[in-house]
Amino acid sequence: MQITCMQMNIIASLHALSLHTMQGVDIFPKDYIYVPIHGGIHWSLVLICHPSAIINQLLQPPVKKMAAGRALSKNGPDKPLMLHLDSLSGTHDPAPIFQKLRWYLEQEWKWRMNNAMEESVPRTWKNSFLAAGVQVPEVRFSKQMLPGISMASRLPQQDDSVDCGLFLLSYIDFFSAADPMYVLAAGGLDSTDVIVASPKPEAANPSTIMSKLWFSKQNTARLRSHMLVLMSKLMLGTLPAHDARYHRIKSAVEEYDKMLNIKGYRYLRPVEYLAFQTEQDAQETMCGGH
């Protein structure tokens, strides 16, 4: 899976997101782009799916179809898609976020298309028309070409006012581990129309991925301690053994590592979480049978 990540504050203008911050990184071949959104002391996430599929909407170049992103099946998406993942439904209005991202992607496409110094999907697409003596079509990222869907109604939600960042990271962690072949909206622009195809079986259950049962609030809350331990381990690599802090941090890390690796005691990564949940479901089924 090819992914990238950029950050946007919905309070500030997207002009502050300089095109040069992504210089040398062509985002259009990426399968998925994570865009953390911050506004009103709240964090949410936009997932841009298959941006290179915009080629199908901008007219095919007069050459053999270009390979961009992951190879998709014949039933794969014929257009890109934006999904808004918000753990506190209604806090961020997705409409203006989608509008600003369409503007950004349109500017990014035009900039890379006309930048002769770097190879990119937009530049290759433009050159194929020029080589064939065909006028290059105008690039416009409209709602029809790049639809956006709010997913809040079918995702795990927070029940407090402090865990939005943890949910955002969990959305990224669990989706990245699932690494689905593609995501598309089949038949409409409602969250129920979104299809997540062929996730990795060891990391995701097709019946629960991007649903209320995707992961638990309890597991997400444990992510705070998990990140603290990860940062502590990084600190151990920089502190000399004679530093008084070294032994305190080392002791705390060792205590955490001794904790039972089950839900409720420590944060379970997607593969661990699915394995534990599958075992629990099997035990409940056996008990129910008796």
Side-chain angles (χ1 to χ4, degrees), residues 205 208 213-216 263 268 270-284:
N205 184 334
T208 59
L213 299 177
W214 195 9
F215 53 80
S216 70
K263 187 171 67 173
L268 299 185
V271 173
E272 298 170 332
Y273 183 87
L274 182 61
F276 177 79
Q277 198 63 46
T278 300
E279 182 180 352
Q280 289 292 101
D281 292 344
Q283 291 178 359
E284 291 177 4

Side-chain angles (χ1 to χ4, degrees), residues 6-282:
M6 54 187 181
Q7 180 178 327
M8 180 178 72
N9 189 315
I10 61 174
I11 302 301
S13 167
L14 252 181
H15 286 284
L17 181 60
S18 168
L19 297 176
H20 295 289
T21 59
M22 298 295 288
Q23 188 171 6
V25 179
D26 181 12
I27 62 176
F28 291 99
K30 307 300 182 183
D31 297 304
Y32 303 105
I33 302 172
Y34 298 124
V35 187
I37 308 295
H38 181 260
I41 64 172
H42 178 62
W43 286 94
S44 64
L45 178 73
V46 170
L47 176 65
I48 303 176
C49 307
H50 317 296
S52 65
I54 198 71
I55 293 172
N56 298 328
Q57 302 296 307
L58 297 175
L59 301 180
Q60 288 292 332
V63 294
K64 185 177 179 181
K65 187 173 182 178
M66 296 185 296
R70 178 162 31 200
L72 301 176
S73 72
K74 63 180 180 180
N75 296 319
D78 61 356
K79 65 171 63 176
L81 178 67
M82 291 189 292
L83 303 179
H84 184 225
L85 285 65
D86 192 344
S87 61
L88 203 57
S89 180
T91 305
H92 284 170
D93 181 1
I97 297 174
F98 291 149
Q99 182 179 357
K100 290 179 180 180
L101 283 172
R102 290 187 188 101
W103 176 89
Y104 169 77
L105 290 169
E106 186 172 309
Q107 302 308 309
E108 180 76 5
W109 180 280
K110 290 179 180 178
W111 185 78
R112 294 202 174 276
M113 183 178 68
N114 295 313
N115 181 10
M117 302 300 293
E118 296 180 3
E119 290 296 325
S120 64
V121 168
R123 181 70 180 176
T124 302
W125 179 83
K126 175 184 177 180
N127 287 342
S128 66
F129 283 95
L130 296 177
V134 179
Q135 183 176 356
V136 181
E138 184 180 8
V139 181
R140 297 303 301 270
F141 282 65
S142 64
K143 290 183 180 180
Q144 292 71 33
M145 296 172 70
L146 181 54
I149 298 176
S150 172
M151 296 293 290
S153 63
R154 62 180 269 187
L155 293 177
Q157 296 283 291
Q158 65 187 94
D159 54 9
D160 57 32
S161 59
V162 297
D163 283 350
C164 57
L166 300 180
F167 273 81
L168 182 152
L169 293 173
S170 292
Y171 291 150
I172 293 176
D173 194 16
F174 276 73
F175 185 86
S176 296
D179 189 15
M181 180 62 70
Y182 56 80
V183 176
L184 56 80
L189 294 179
D190 186 83
S191 62
T192 57
D193 299 313
V194 174
I195 296 175
V196 183
S198 302
K200 289 184 176 180
E202 69 274 17
N205 184 334
S207 66
T208 59
I209 185 172
M210 296 189 91
S211 77
K212 294 287 187 182
L213 299 177
W214 195 9
F215 53 80
S216 70
K217 301 174 185 177
Q218 184 185 41
N219 192 62
T220 303
R222 297 293 185 271
L223 181 54
R224 186 176 282 105
S225 298
H226 179 74
M227 291 191 298
L228 178 60
V229 170
L230 291 179
M231 290 185 287
S232 296
K233 289 181 178 180
L234 290 175
M235 288 184 64
L236 288 177
T238 64
L239 292 175
H242 60 77
D243 192 306
R245 294 171 297 174
Y246 180 89
H247 296 288
R248 290 200 302 270
I249 295 172
K250 187 173 183 291
S251 176
V253 168
E254 290 175 346
E255 286 300 313
Y256 182 84
D257 287 340
K258 291 177 183 177
M259 295 176 101
L260 293 175
N261 194 32
I262 61 175
K263 187 171 67 173
Y265 285 86
R266 57 192 294 174
Y267 177 71
L268 299 185
R269 297 294 304 277
V271 173
E272 298 170 332
Y273 183 87
L274 182 61
F276 177 79
Q277 198 63 46
T278 300
E279 182 180 352
Q280 289 292 101
D281 292 344

